[in-house]
Amino acid sequence: MEYSSEERACIWLDSFPLDKGAERRLLEGAGSAAALVRRFPEFREIVVKSAGESVYNNMLASLSDGGEYFRKTAAELEGEGIRAVTRASRDYPEALKQYPDSPPVLYAKGDVSLLGSRLFTVVGSRRTPLAALRLCERVCEELSSGFTLLSGTAEGGDSAALSGALRGSGRVIAVPAGGFSHLPRGNAELLRRVAERGLLLSAHTFRESVRPFSYAERNKLLARLGEGTLVVGAGEKSGALMTAEYAFRENRPVFAFPYFPGSDVGAGCNALIKKGGILTENSVDICGRFGIDLSGERERTSLTEPEAAVMKALRGLSEAHVSEIAAASGIPVFRLYGILAALETKGLAVRLGGNRFSPV
C-alpha cells in the first residue's frame, strides 16, 4: 500500500504509545503530521509529559534511520491485511472531519469503500432478550439495503445487528474497543465473516489492548459515524446507553425497542423513549425518518394461510404456550410445531423454551 508523506507521518505518530490528547496537541502545534516530523525536537516537552523520555528518544531515533522504522510498521499492517486510513486519506469519513478529537488514524480490514456510504448505528447489551435479538436481526437485514450498518463486536445485541446485516446486503462495519489482536474470541467466526463481506474498523493499533476508557471512545465513534442510532436492548446502566447519549449530544435521532414496564433488561430502552427516543418496532419506523422506502424488502417474506393464522394468534398473545397458540389459531398442536418451525426459519417467531413462543 502506497501512502502519501502526510499519511506516513500520521501512521508514524500513531504507532507510539502517546495518549490521544498529546497526539492532538502535537498535530495542532505543528499544523500537520508531516510538519511535526520535520520539527519534532521542538515538541519534546509534550511527548515527555505524555509518555516519558524513552518514548521521545525512540521517536527521535526512528526519524533518522533511513525510513526503516516506517517500512517495518507498514509491513506489519500489510501482513495483517490492515489498511491505515488517516485524516489525510481520501477514504477518511466526512462525518468525523468536523471533530478535532477524531482519531488521526483508523485501521481497516475489509471493504474500505463502505466508509463513504450512508451509515446507521445499531447497538444492544449482552443481556438483550432472545425475541429482541431476532427482531434486531430482521430489522438490520432490511436496513442493510438502505444503509451500511455499524455496531460493536460483543455478543448479544451487537452480534444480532452484525448477523442481520450479513443476511441482508452484507454492508456492515464492526468497531471493536481495542486493536484487532484483542477481538472477542467468542465472536471470532462472525467477525471473520464481517471482514470478508464488510469491514472491521478500529481507532487503535493492532496490538493495543482494551482499556477502561476505550469503550467510551468507541461508543462516541459509533454515534458520530451513524446518521442515527438504534438501541435494541439496554438495562438501566448498560454501556449501549452511552452510544445513545453521544448521539443525543450530536442531535442525531435515537431509536429504541420498547419493553414491558418494569423490565430490567429493557429499562434503558424505555428511558430513552421517555427522553425523546423514537419507539421502534420495525425498519419502517427508522427509514421513514430518512426518506428511505423499504416496503419492497418487507414484502419479500410470504406466508401460507396456516402460517398467517399462527402469526395472527402469536401477535395477539405476545408470548404463549403452544396449546394457547393452537386454541387461538384453530390449528391442532400436532400440525403447529411444523408451522412454528417454518416461522422461526423466516425470522418471524422465536422459541422461548418450555414449548413457549413469541412473535418477532
Side-chain angles (χ1 to χ4, degrees):
M1 175 68 193
E2 291 294 326
Y3 294 104
S4 68
S5 59
E6 181 67 18
E7 289 174 315
R8 288 163 61 93
C10 285
I11 297 166
W12 166 81
L13 174 62
D14 203 50
S15 69
F16 292 95
L18 299 168
D19 64 68
K20 298 304 179 183
E23 282 192 14
R24 189 164 61 251
R25 290 192 295 276
L26 289 169
L27 292 172
E28 290 173 349
S32 69
L36 174 65
V37 168
R38 294 193 299 269
R39 300 164 49 199
F40 183 66
E42 300 176 27
F43 301 94
R44 176 182 176 278
E45 183 177 348
I46 295 176
V47 176
V48 171
K49 187 174 181 179
S50 169
E53 188 78 37
S54 62
V55 171
Y56 170 78
N57 290 334
N58 289 339
M59 295 177 75
L60 188 63
S62 72
L63 294 175
S64 57
D65 66 356
E68 181 60 27
Y69 177 85
F70 181 81
R71 283 193 292 273
K72 181 179 178 182
T73 301
E76 289 178 349
L77 291 174
E78 188 172 352
E80 295 292 342
I82 298 171
R83 177 176 168 187
V85 180
T86 78
R87 290 184 70 101
S89 303
R90 181 186 60 187
D91 293 309
Y92 194 84
E94 287 293 329
L96 298 182
K97 291 182 178 179
Q98 61 180 299
Y99 302 105
D101 62 342
S102 290
V105 183
L106 296 171
Y107 299 92
K109 295 182 73 170
D111 185 359
V112 177
S113 70
L114 292 176
L115 293 174
S117 62
R118 297 190 71 174
L119 306 176
F120 186 85
T121 299
V122 181
V123 293
S125 76
R126 290 177 175 84
R127 296 179 59 218
T128 301
L130 183 58
L133 293 178
R134 294 295 176 264
L135 177 58
C136 173
E137 290 177 3
R138 182 173 175 81
V139 167
C140 289
E141 179 181 358
E142 295 172 354
L143 283 178
S144 71
S145 66
F147 291 101
T148 294
L149 273 295
L150 285 158
S151 193
T153 56
E155 296 179 356
D158 293 355
S159 295
L162 300 177
S163 298
L166 286 172
R167 269 209 321 250
S169 70
R171 295 192 300 166
V172 61
I173 300 175
V175 186
F180 293 142
S181 65
H182 289 79
L183 295 174
R185 293 184 179 180
N187 265 352
E189 175 58 23
L190 175 61
L191 297 177
R192 182 191 65 77
R193 290 165 52 212
V194 169
E196 286 182 351
R197 293 192 63 195
L199 180 68
L200 288 177
L201 186 72
S202 175
H204 305 281
T205 56
F206 180 74
R207 292 182 178 82
E208 190 167 339
S209 61
V210 179
R211 290 173 284 181
F213 62 84
S214 301
Y215 292 100
E217 291 299 313
R218 189 276 307 277
N219 294 340
K220 182 193 296 183
L221 188 64
L222 285 171
R224 288 178 172 178
L225 282 170
E227 293 185 36
T229 293
L230 168 64
V231 180
V232 301
E236 190 175 358
K237 296 183 179 180
S238 170
L241 297 179
M242 191 181 300
T243 305
E245 289 301 321
Y246 281 123
F248 274 129
R249 293 180 197 176
E250 302 299 336
N251 293 318
R252 310 281 172 87
V254 173
F255 304 81
F257 284 174
Y259 283 77
F260 288 114
S263 168
D264 289 340
V265 293
C269 285
N270 289 346
L272 289 175
I273 294 170
K274 289 179 183 178
K275 187 176 178 178
I278 301 163
L279 189 153
T280 303
E281 298 177 301
N282 51 54
S283 59
V284 175
D285 290 336
I286 295 170
C287 291
R289 296 276 172 163
F290 298 98
I292 297 175
D293 182 7
L294 293 184
S295 57
E297 293 293 315
R298 292 185 58 79
E299 290 167 0
R300 287 184 306 172
T301 304
S302 59
L303 300 179
T304 65
E305 188 174 333
E307 287 172 348
V310 172
M311 279 307 302
K312 182 179 179 181
L314 269 177
R315 291 188 177 115
L317 295 166
S318 182
E319 176 185 325
H321 188 271
V322 67
S323 60
E324 296 175 286
I325 302 169
S329 64
I331 297 175
V333 171
F334 73 88
R335 288 189 57 204
L336 201 51
Y337 283 107
I339 296 170
L340 286 166
L343 292 173
E344 283 187 273
T345 301
K346 293 179 178 181
L348 297 176
V350 61
R351 187 186 302 264
L352 303 176
N355 285 327
R356 300 185 69 81
F357 292 81
S358 173
V360 172

